[in-house]
Amino acid sequence: MEITEFDVSLYCSRCQDETLHYVHYLNNKISSTECTNCHRKIDMHLNPKRELYKEIYKRVVTKPTRLTEEYSQDLNKFIVGVPKRALSKPYRLMKYVDETRIALKKFKSHH
Ligand SMILES: [Zn+2]
């Protein structure tokens, strides 16, 4: 589940002008937009539960997900950057990977 919020200039039919809108994204879909000038809100009526279900379903059906692909790509880059002598010690490498994962988790929970 990914929620993104940002401000963007959009045309408001009530203000009849381009105004700053507060846009709320749910998994790369606009869930709502709000005109910061007149506070006219357009709700796309996305069902968060349904979106979450779809996401989980997609994750189960198409493994690995785009996210884990990106993550493993980063990991590959990381492993490539590790000196060869470190690769002869798989335990250390695994430990490092786990640490990276924990670091990623920590990073995510703060954002
Ligand atoms: Zn407006």
Side-chain angles (χ1 to χ4, degrees), residues 33-71:
T33 66
E34 186 181 342
C35 173
T36 56
N37 187 46
C38 70
H39 298 287
R40 177 176 171 267
K41 196 176 178 182
I42 302 166
D43 203 326
M44 301 303 170
H45 301 290
L46 282 183
N47 186 335
K49 271 186 189 166
R50 196 165 164 260
E51 291 302 314
L52 186 66
Y53 172 78
K54 277 198 287 186
E55 189 184 306
I56 291 164
Y57 182 79
K58 203 168 71 186
R59 198 169 285 176
V60 168
V61 171
T62 60
K63 262 186 180 174
T65 63
R66 200 178 65 88
L67 192 74
T68 55
E69 263 172 32
E70 277 171 12
Y71 175 64

Side-chain angles (χ1 to χ4, degrees), residues 18-34:
E18 211 169 85
T19 61
L20 197 66
H21 281 69
Y22 181 71
V23 180
H24 198 104
Y25 269 84
L26 187 66
N27 279 353
N28 300 315
K29 282 180 189 170
I30 292 174
S31 73
S32 68
T33 66
E34 186 181 342

Side-chain angles (χ1 to χ4, degrees), residues 81-96:
V82 169
K84 269 183 185 169
R85 56 181 171 82
L87 290 173
S88 65
K89 293 171 187 166
Y91 171 72
R92 276 177 70 94
L93 187 66
M94 280 310 291
K95 196 167 173 266
Y96 223 101

